[in-house]
């Protein structure tokens, strides 16, 4: 009597190989975010802060581990085994909470950056396509109804608290 041949064995083999490949230790360089700093000083500062936050989140397990070991050994020697274990667990918990907060800040910065990039791309597309009703037209219509619109140099609208895209401003100056 022969046993039926299972057709899923190659898929299971691929799954095992892929799992083992994911578990292989990666070099530390793979955890460092790529260094693509922009040349504009304002964007460079914001980019560096975001890069540093990402690097900090990637490597925050090192200071957590060091502090857990330090607290465990120091309190074990002074107050006994139970005191060392409890203080090590408390330090681990506090470190993980701080890491979680840093991770959430990084996620929020990533989402805000993607939203800003998307709005910038939509605005550029609307400026390139004539006859499209853009976001600026909507804001201009609502501002003129309220009477709060002010005119800046060369008839441009000035709104307090807005951030201008420096690349677009430089392009406009070059073409003038």
């Amino acid at each position: 009597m022969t046993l039926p041949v299972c057709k899923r064995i190659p898929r299971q083999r691929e799954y095992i190989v892929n799992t083992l490949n994911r578990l292989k230790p990666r070099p530390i360089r793979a955890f460092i975010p790529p260094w693509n700093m922009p040349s504009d000083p304002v964007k460079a500062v914001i980019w560096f802060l975001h890069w540093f936050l990402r690097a900090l989140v990637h490597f925050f397990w090192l200071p957590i581990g060091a502090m857990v070991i330090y607290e465990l050994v120091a309190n074990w020697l002074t107050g006994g085994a139970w005191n060392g274990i409890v203080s090590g667990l408390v330090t681990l918990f506090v470190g993980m909470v701080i890491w979680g907060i840093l991770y959430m800040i990084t996620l929020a910065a990533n989402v805000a950056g993607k939203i800003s990039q998307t709005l910038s791309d939509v605005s550029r597309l609307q400026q390139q396509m004539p006859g499209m009703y853009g976001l600026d037209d909507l804001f201009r219509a609502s501002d003129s109804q309220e009477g709060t619109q002010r005119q800046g140099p060369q008839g441009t609208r000035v709104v307090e608290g807005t951030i201008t895209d420096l690349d677009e401003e430089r392009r406009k100056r070059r073409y003038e």
Side-chain angles (χ1 to χ4, degrees):
M1 179 174 192
T2 60
L3 295 173
V5 177
C6 183
K7 295 181 180 179
R8 301 178 95 189
I9 290 178
R11 288 185 183 170
Q12 288 175 348
R13 180 176 288 153
E14 289 175 15
Y15 176 75
I16 292 171
V17 169
N18 289 339
T19 303
L20 291 176
N21 285 338
R22 278 186 269 146
L23 295 177
K24 284 183 182 176
R26 294 190 297 175
I28 292 181
R29 261 190 154 195
F31 291 107
I32 299 174
W35 187 266
N36 300 324
M37 183 180 281
S39 60
D40 181 35
V42 174
K43 288 183 180 180
V45 169
I46 294 170
W47 179 90
F48 178 75
L49 291 174
H50 185 250
W51 179 88
F52 182 72
L53 185 63
R54 285 177 26 205
L56 184 65
V57 167
H58 280 277
F59 290 106
F60 200 67
W61 59 273
L62 289 170
I64 291 174
M67 284 307 298
V68 166
I69 291 171
Y70 173 77
E71 288 288 330
L72 184 81
V73 170
N75 288 326
W76 188 303
L77 294 175
T78 58
W82 180 251
N83 195 12
I85 292 171
V86 169
S87 65
L89 289 175
V90 168
T91 304
L92 179 65
F93 177 73
V94 170
M96 294 303 287
V97 167
I98 293 172
W99 179 82
I101 291 170
L102 288 173
Y103 187 74
M104 290 299 160
I105 291 171
T106 304
L107 284 178
N110 288 341
V111 168
K114 293 294 182 185
I115 290 173
S116 172
Q117 184 179 8
T118 302
L119 289 177
S120 174
D121 290 344
V122 167
S123 176
R124 281 192 194 114
L125 284 174
Q126 287 175 344
Q127 288 175 358
Q128 290 174 356
M129 295 180 149
M132 295 293 291
Y133 195 69
L135 293 174
D136 291 337
D137 298 333
L138 288 173
F139 292 132
R140 189 175 293 122
S142 66
D143 285 346
S144 62
Q145 290 173 357
E146 295 172 7
T148 59
Q149 182 176 357
R150 295 186 305 153
Q151 294 294 323
Q154 301 172 350
T156 58
R157 188 171 59 98
V158 177
V159 179
E160 294 180 2
T162 60
I163 300 172
T164 60
D165 191 6
L166 296 176
D167 289 336
E168 289 180 11
E169 293 295 326
R170 287 184 187 130
R171 285 187 205 123
K172 288 179 185 176
R173 289 182 193 147
R174 286 182 194 149
Y175 293 122
E176 288 178 355

